[in-house]
């Protein structure tokens, strides 16, 4: 069995979240239909942003990655607002607008994830001490964001 690293675990979450949004888009039409897969992916993305901003980014900032982390946090804020917009469009039952917003969100996620994986995750296993890495992996297994938590740049 392959050794689970922070990088592989975090990248797997990216694929799972993106895959859920893609699956929703493949099944979507002008009629909104079931949003269960989309809602699961949005919840996963919110949780993923939480774990990065609360567990991963602080020790990486301390290790000197201030600039890249700043960019990632700013993009998290934009993604958070986009998810809020999608939630509103779901509530309005506007299938066409939800589809358009999700397509745009996937485009943003593709660029964000590529940079995050190349710059942040590539160094996470080396820069985080064993305790911080273990804490993050444990959270990934069963943790959830506190109710009402919002990405730093979306506050």
């Amino acid at each position: 069995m392959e050794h689970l690293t922070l990088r592989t675990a975090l990248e797997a979450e990216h694929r799972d979240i993106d895959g859920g949004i893609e699956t929703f888009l493949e099944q979507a039409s002008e009629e909104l239909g079931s949003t269960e897969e989309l809602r699961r992916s949005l919840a996963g993305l919110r949780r993923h942003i939480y774990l990065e901003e609360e567990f991963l980014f602080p020790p990486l900032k301390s290790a000197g990655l201030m600039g890249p982390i700043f960019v990632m946090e700013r993009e998290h804020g934009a993604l958070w607002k986009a998810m809020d917009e999608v939630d509103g469009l779901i509530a309005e039952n506007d299938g066409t607008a939800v589809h358009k917003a999700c397509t745009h969100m996937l485009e943003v996620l593709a660029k964000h994830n590529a940079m995050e994986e190349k710059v942040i995750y590539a160094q996470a296993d080396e820069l985080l001490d064993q305790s911080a890495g273990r804490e993050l992996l444990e959270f990934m297994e069963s943790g959830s964001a506190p109710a009402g938590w919002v990405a730093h740049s979306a506050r």
Side-chain angles (χ1 to χ4, degrees):
M1 185 167 88
E2 180 184 338
H3 173 67
L4 182 66
T5 64
L6 291 175
R7 181 179 190 163
T8 57
L10 291 163
E11 287 176 357
E13 281 203 2
H14 279 177
R15 303 292 89 72
D16 184 50
I17 291 163
D18 294 353
I21 298 169
E22 290 165 355
T23 298
F24 167 78
L25 288 173
E26 289 167 5
Q27 298 170 352
S29 65
E30 289 184 23
E31 295 295 321
L32 192 53
S34 174
T35 59
E36 184 178 333
E37 183 70 20
L38 177 58
R39 288 177 190 273
R40 184 193 65 77
S41 292
L42 295 180
L45 181 54
R46 284 185 173 97
R47 178 185 171 276
H48 183 82
I49 289 171
Y50 169 79
L51 76 88
E52 287 179 345
E53 292 194 2
E54 298 297 327
F55 294 94
L56 179 64
F57 291 174
L60 293 179
K61 283 181 185 177
S62 296
L65 287 177
M66 294 293 292
I69 298 296
F70 174 77
V71 172
M72 295 297 102
E73 287 178 333
R74 188 178 64 222
E75 291 177 1
H76 284 172
L79 286 164
W80 201 275
K81 291 173 184 173
M83 289 187 285
D84 287 346
E85 178 188 359
V86 169
D87 287 338
L89 294 169
I90 290 170
E92 293 172 12
N93 201 32
D94 189 340
T96 301
V98 170
H99 193 279
K100 183 177 178 182
C102 287
T103 299
H104 175 71
M105 191 173 6
L106 272 180
E107 292 168 2
V108 172
L109 279 169
K111 292 175 188 169
H112 174 82
N113 291 350
M115 180 59 72
E116 198 165 59
E117 291 170 7
K118 180 180 176 186
V119 176
I120 307 296
Y121 296 175
Q123 298 182 56
D125 290 300
E126 293 177 28
L127 295 177
L128 264 66
D129 65 34
Q130 195 172 20
S131 173
R134 185 172 37 257
E135 182 182 14
L136 199 152
L137 286 170
E138 287 172 4
F139 176 84
M140 290 179 77
E141 286 185 27
S142 60
S144 60
W149 187 90
V150 175
H152 296 254
S153 293
R155 294 177 185 170

